[in-house]
Amino acid sequence: IDAMNMVLDKVRHADRMETGALQITQESCDVQALLEQVVATCSQPQRVHLESGLAQAVQTDPDLLRMMMVNLLENALAYSVPDSEVCVYLQPWACATDAAGFRLRVSNQVADGHMPDATRLFSKYYRGEQSHQHTGTGLGLYWVRHVALAMGGDIVYQGELDEVVFELTLPG
């Protein structure tokens, strides 16, 4: 039932985003504390290595940010080599307008032959060939990218050898 509710939530959020009904708020947010909460309540917190150099609060939408963090972290845990470490780095970032923002980098090791298709990764309903043993809709990264862009940031993917890296940058 929880998995079905998560699927329905992702579909609703994607629909709100596509119809322009997604509301983005701006409030002071301690991103480091929010990330620590997300890690503590994730499915496998013992596998997460967290490093942070972000001390100040930023102006952002904490609810949307939490959902983006959960998506990136749970994807990394689900699609990584079992029992391997997922690395999460949070650091200050100066965006093009010189406003203070932050960068969230999530990396994990993947098994041979399990690298995602970089050309389709942020496409609606894309799921890699090896991902079908996991519950999912193919909407998570699609949603994260569009929300990041709507908030004035972005998310990029880097795949090297056996490592997958997602880097979310948002102004604050």
Side-chain angles (χ1 to χ4, degrees):
I1 291 174
D2 287 341
M4 287 174 36
N5 283 333
M6 285 177 31
V7 167
L8 291 173
D9 282 345
K10 285 183 181 178
V11 170
R12 278 192 293 268
H13 285 292
D15 183 57
R16 278 189 218 129
M17 180 188 60
E18 290 173 344
T19 61
L22 183 68
Q23 298 293 318
I24 298 174
T25 64
Q26 293 289 317
E27 58 186 82
S28 182
C29 176
D30 183 338
V31 178
Q32 180 171 322
L34 180 63
L35 181 58
E36 289 170 356
Q37 288 175 345
V38 167
V39 169
T41 59
C42 75
S43 61
Q44 301 175 64
Q46 72 282 2
R47 291 182 51 206
V48 180
H49 173 79
L50 174 60
E51 287 186 28
S52 177
L54 187 67
Q56 80 276 6
V58 298
Q59 294 295 311
T60 192
D61 187 313
D63 294 330
L64 292 177
L65 179 57
R66 177 189 313 274
M67 292 187 321
M68 288 190 283
M69 288 175 169
V70 167
N71 183 276
L72 293 173
L73 184 57
E74 291 297 345
N75 278 357
L77 289 165
Y79 298 113
S80 62
V81 172
D83 299 322
S84 64
E85 185 174 72
V86 170
C87 297
V88 180
Y89 301 97
L90 180 64
Q91 61 192 107
W93 172 72
C95 62
T97 61
D98 289 331
F102 63 92
R103 173 181 292 132
L104 175 67
R105 185 176 193 268
V106 179
S107 64
N108 62 280
Q109 183 184 9
V110 295
D112 288 342
H114 288 84
M115 292 296 281
D117 180 351
T119 63
R120 299 180 57 213
L121 197 54
F122 295 106
S123 300
K124 189 174 186 179
Y125 303 124
Y126 168 72
R127 297 196 66 215
E129 289 181 32
Q130 307 297 329
S131 67
H132 296 289
Q133 69 260 22
H134 302 283
T135 301
T137 60
L139 289 172
L141 290 174
Y142 168 80
W143 180 85
V144 169
R145 170 163 259 175
H146 283 83
V147 171
L149 291 170
M151 293 172 74
D154 200 2
I155 184 167
V156 294
Y157 161 78
Q158 302 163 1
E160 302 173 2
L161 301 173
D162 66 345
E163 184 180 46
V164 169
V165 178
F166 287 95
E167 199 168 89
L168 172 68
T169 51
L170 289 174

